[in-house]
Amino acid sequence: DVQLQASGGGLVQAGGSLRLSCAASGSNVNDYVIGWFRQAPGKEREGVSYISKFEGRTNYADSVKGRFTISSDNAKNTVYLQMNSLKPEDTAVYYCAAGPQLDEYVDYFSQVYEYEYWGQGTLVTVSS
């Protein structure tokens, strides 16, 4: 089992940057697909980005491409989400999650794919 803790949220002005961290314990983040999700009030949770280190795959929601970057640090057993050029519409609670790497190709944003482990969210607020 893996336990995840998201951190790094806060208040930032539009156009600013923030880096979120997803610290894992109990297992190696490299053994999992790690995804970042967000949920704004009154809206459905949406996938933001994921990384599969073993497969060398990353992906981003269209709304954040070119602005957000996902990365991992095995030594720290942590996955990061660097968020640049933040917009008010990025305001949400951000969650990290872990799921199994599969032996057949699946888009890890797919509704078919299940992230098994979830951390508590960290709030990102982007002011106008």
Side-chain angles (χ1 to χ4, degrees):
D1 291 359
V2 62
Q3 295 79 47
L4 304 174
Q5 184 171 353
S7 62
L11 176 64
V12 64
Q13 295 183 36
S17 297
L18 211 56
R19 188 174 76 161
L20 305 184
S21 298
C22 178
S25 60
S27 192
N28 192 334
V29 293
N30 200 49
D31 295 334
Y32 293 88
V33 179
I34 305 296
W36 283 100
F37 298 81
R38 66 187 182 186
Q39 188 167 24
K43 294 186 177 180
E44 190 174 290
R45 180 184 290 162
E46 63 175 339
V48 177
S49 183
Y50 65 75
I51 183 168
S52 175
K53 196 74 171 183
F54 180 80
E55 297 175 300
R57 290 168 53 198
T58 61
N59 203 2
Y60 300 89
D62 288 343
S63 59
V64 307
K65 284 182 179 178
R67 300 189 298 120
F68 290 11
T69 303
I70 192 168
S71 63
S72 64
D73 185 335
N74 286 350
K76 296 182 178 180
N77 208 27
T78 298
V79 172
Y80 302 97
L81 184 68
Q82 178 67 44
M83 306 185 296
N84 298 327
S85 302
L86 283 162
K87 304 175 181 179
E89 51 262 45
D90 295 318
T91 296
V93 177
Y94 284 71
Y95 302 86
C96 62
Q101 295 173 129
L102 304 180
D103 57 4
E104 295 184 355
Y105 175 81
V106 172
D107 180 1
Y108 296 122
F109 279 148
S110 172
Q111 295 179 20
V112 174
Y113 182 75
E114 181 180 353
Y115 287 85
E116 300 177 20
Y117 307 98
W118 291 80
Q120 292 187 329
T122 184
L123 177 63
V124 172
T125 303
V126 184
S127 63
S128 301

